[in-house]
Amino acid sequence: MIQSLRGMNDILSEDYERFEYFIATASTIAKRYGFHYIETPLLEETALFKRSVGESSDIVGKEMYQFIDKGKNDVCLRPEGTAGVVRAFIQHKLDKKGGIHRFYYHGPMFRYERPQKGRLREFHQFGIESFGVASVYEDALMIMMVSDILKALGIGYRLKLNSLGDQNCMPAYREKLVRFIESCGDAICGDCERRKLTNPIRVLDCKNEHCQNLYVNAPKLIDNLCEGCESDFETLKSILDQHSIAYEIDTNLVRGLDYYSKTAFEFVSDNIGSQSAIAGGGRYDRLIEFLDGKPTPAVGFALGIERLMELIVMPEKVREGYYFGAMDETAIKPILLAAEKARRSEKAVVEYKPRKLQDHLKGSDRINARYCAIIGENEMNQNSIWVKDLVEKTETLIPLNEFFA
Ligand code: HAM
């Protein structure tokens, strides 16, 4: 029997209710903050991700679903959403137009990682990208938005915060860090050896315990910020304090994608096992010019929907709509007409098999209908339909001409 691919899941209706509830809640909040929906293709040129996410990242180095298509184009299933949105922003000349452009999106992302709980090869993100605001207030807005979304879903979190510096302070810090890494000699792992040459700050979040012990004394990003970055970071912290959003400074938080500068943040949950990052984001002021657009400040984040699924507190289910049933064959036609009428404004589900009343009532419970509407011999004789309101526990015999009015 053919099975789905490893790390790629079906979302069946029960889970989909949660999924849909998440999308609806997050979209409502994004719209309240003035963001507009954007849809970009799942497939893009591989070069887009190489130039944005970065050749030194695990995502590009090891995890891309990359292939040559029939037209001999080197293409790739998107491993994340930011690159595609930035590409669209530049392609549609919004960078030239200037002003502020705020987008949200959701959809599948693909990374060829080793599947485990919370780590899939096809997973879904809800993401936000904001273009044109250089102010750290926009960074705070991003964090407030994630916090709002998680709060609305009843999900607790810890927020980790760091600043990665900018083109003024990052080069000197890099040099300092490389000198430190070199002082560790051969003791570092192969991955760090590679990172030292491509993107040295990535060594800081190396998962190898031996490396982590070595880097305890490494120079910290946060102690090497220029005046501008430092004062922005202070402002960010004070806004979060003002909004009672608790945070922890994590000096090793560098994020797994190369495009970030200045603010970087990650939301983690302590209730979902080792893959604990539920959202991540930050500022990426240089990315648009790296992709040949007009220099434009930008900031954004993405939430991993699968990791949130088991944490979402769903609202209590309310009974809604109609269940329609016939008690004998002749009643099916009027039942179909009645269902069609009801469906113009509400859910209306028809059971085609003639059944006893008790079975129809059970059917109404199964679909959580508010009304159980039945036609049997008695109702046929009286040209009526029997309707039970399962919330108010009332029963009414309604003449069909009234029901259709
Ligand atoms: P990211 O941290 O790579 O950032 O991914 C964001 C979230 O996607 C993670 O926090 C996690 O919840 C979820 N996620 C990542 N990989 C997997 C996986 N293999 N299985 C399940 N869930 C996963 C980005 O993708 C950036 N584009 C975020 C961003 C937007 N930064 C600025 N704008």
Side-chain angles (χ1 to χ4, degrees):
M1 209 205 98
I2 297 171
Q3 306 265 338
S4 67
L5 296 173
R6 221 160 91 79
M8 298 201 175
N9 290 345
D10 302 310
I11 308 174
L12 300 182
S13 54
E14 221 166 89
D15 282 338
Y16 196 73
E17 262 179 47
R18 282 174 174 269
F19 198 90
E20 211 177 19
Y21 178 64
F22 169 82
I23 301 283
T25 307
S27 304
T28 303
I29 291 173
K31 281 186 228 165
R32 278 191 203 150
Y33 276 83
F35 284 72
H36 300 277
Y37 188 75
I38 183 168
E39 178 88 32
T40 63
L42 302 195
L43 207 56
E44 298 267 7
E45 269 186 49
T46 301
L48 173 66
F49 302 109
K50 286 195 172 166
R51 279 169 64 186
S52 54
V53 177
E55 305 247 19
S56 80
S57 67
D58 285 350
I59 296 177
V60 169
K62 304 180 188 166
E63 298 166 0
M64 293 226 283
Y65 275 89
Q66 183 184 353
F67 59 96
I68 306 295
D69 74 5
K70 289 185 178 148
K72 308 265 183 289
N73 305 298
D74 186 351
V75 295
C76 177
L77 280 171
R78 64 181 185 192
E80 58 101 53
T82 310
V85 176
V86 170
R87 196 251 328 117
F89 176 73
I90 300 168
Q91 184 173 335
H92 298 285
K93 299 191 172 49
L94 300 175
D95 55 334
K96 307 278 184 315
K97 213 167 154 189
I100 299 169
H101 301 268
R102 295 186 168 117
F103 300 106
Y104 75 95
Y105 54 89
H106 46 81
M109 309 291 159
F110 302 84
R111 297 182 191 175
Y112 198 86
E113 295 194 74
R114 198 145 43 84
Q116 65 174 83
K117 183 174 162 14
R119 197 204 275 150
L120 295 161
R121 288 183 173 165
E122 181 184 11
F123 60 98
H124 295 75
Q125 283 186 347
F126 181 93
I128 286 284
E129 313 296 347
S130 164
F131 301 111
V133 188
S135 159
V136 72
Y137 287 98
E138 194 73 356
D139 307 23
L141 194 87
M142 298 293 117
I143 292 173
M144 279 155 59
M145 219 160 147
V146 182
S147 168
D148 272 3
I149 293 171
L150 295 175
K151 270 191 204 144
L153 298 164
I155 299 175
Y157 63 79
R158 275 189 302 120
L159 164 62
K160 295 182 181 181
L161 208 57
N162 197 13
S163 173
L164 304 179
D166 63 7
Q167 67 264 44
N168 296 318
C169 43
M170 184 55 111
Y173 172 73
R174 256 176 197 252
E175 271 179 36
K176 228 183 195 178
L177 183 64
V178 169
R179 276 201 300 278
F180 172 84
I181 304 170
E182 277 166 354
S183 75
C184 298
D186 293 342
I188 60 172
C189 73
D191 276 343
C192 282
E193 201 61 61
R194 189 171 49 85
R195 290 173 185 135
K196 183 177 80 181
L197 303 172
T198 51
N199 188 3
I201 66 159
R202 289 291 322 282
V203 306
L204 296 175
D205 76 343
C206 177
K207 302 290 173 281
N208 183 313
E209 213 174 300
H210 181 67
C211 288
Q212 274 308 328
N213 290 335
L214 284 173
Y215 302 149
V216 171
N217 297 320
K220 295 190 174 22
L221 273 158
I222 219 143
D223 299 332
N224 289 275
L225 298 177
C226 58
E227 216 173 290
C229 287
E230 193 169 334
S231 107
D232 273 354
F233 198 51
E234 287 307 314
T235 309
L236 176 63
K237 288 190 286 182
S238 70
I239 304 168
L240 297 179
D241 289 339
Q242 194 193 0
H243 287 267
S244 308
I245 296 178
Y247 52 85
E248 304 160 15
I249 305 298
D250 179 348
T251 52
N252 286 342
L253 177 71
V254 294
R255 310 271 303 123
L257 307 94
D258 288 355
Y259 47 63
Y260 293 108
S261 55
K262 294 183 127 180
T263 307
F265 59 86
E266 224 158 67
F267 284 74
V268 295
S269 163
D270 295 326
N271 302 317
I272 50 170
S274 64
Q275 298 305 306
S276 59
I278 50 179
R283 185 159 274 285
Y284 50 95
D285 288 344
R286 308 292 302 283
L287 181 56
I288 292 154
E289 56 184 295
F290 283 157
L291 292 174
D292 303 325
K294 189 174 160 202
T296 309
V299 60
F301 68 81
L303 289 135
I305 305 181
E306 279 80 358
R307 291 189 189 170
L308 299 173
M309 290 285 268
E310 62 183 276
L311 300 172
I312 296 173
V313 180
M314 292 288 283
E316 214 175 297
K317 272 192 185 172
V318 286
R319 285 182 171 272
E320 56 174 355
Y322 277 86
Y323 168 101
F324 284 94
M327 287 174 66
D328 56 50
E329 204 72 42
T330 53
I332 288 178
K333 282 190 177 152
I335 275 293
L336 285 176
L337 287 171
E340 188 202 32
K341 161 74 175 43
R343 203 174 287 124
R344 284 180 214 156
S345 56
E346 291 190 72
K347 175 171 95 174
V349 178
V350 181
E351 169 58 64
Y352 302 106
K353 258 200 197 136
R355 290 205 161 138
K356 286 197 256 150
L357 180 61
Q358 279 317 314
D359 294 332
H360 282 315
L361 286 166
K362 278 186 202 151
S364 311
D365 286 341
R366 248 193 319 274
I367 65 156
N368 213 30
R370 165 140 194 197
Y371 302 104
C372 176
I374 304 293
I375 300 182
E377 199 186 339
N378 196 16
E379 289 75 23
M380 286 292 275
N381 290 340
Q382 297 184 58
N383 226 0
S384 318
I385 184 165
W386 178 86
V387 179
K388 177 161 186 175
D389 181 332
L390 295 158
V391 173
E392 299 290 335
K393 311 272 186 244
T394 53
E395 298 171 22
T396 339
L397 196 65
I398 306 172
L400 278 174
N401 55 0
E402 247 177 58
F403 191 89
F404 286 114

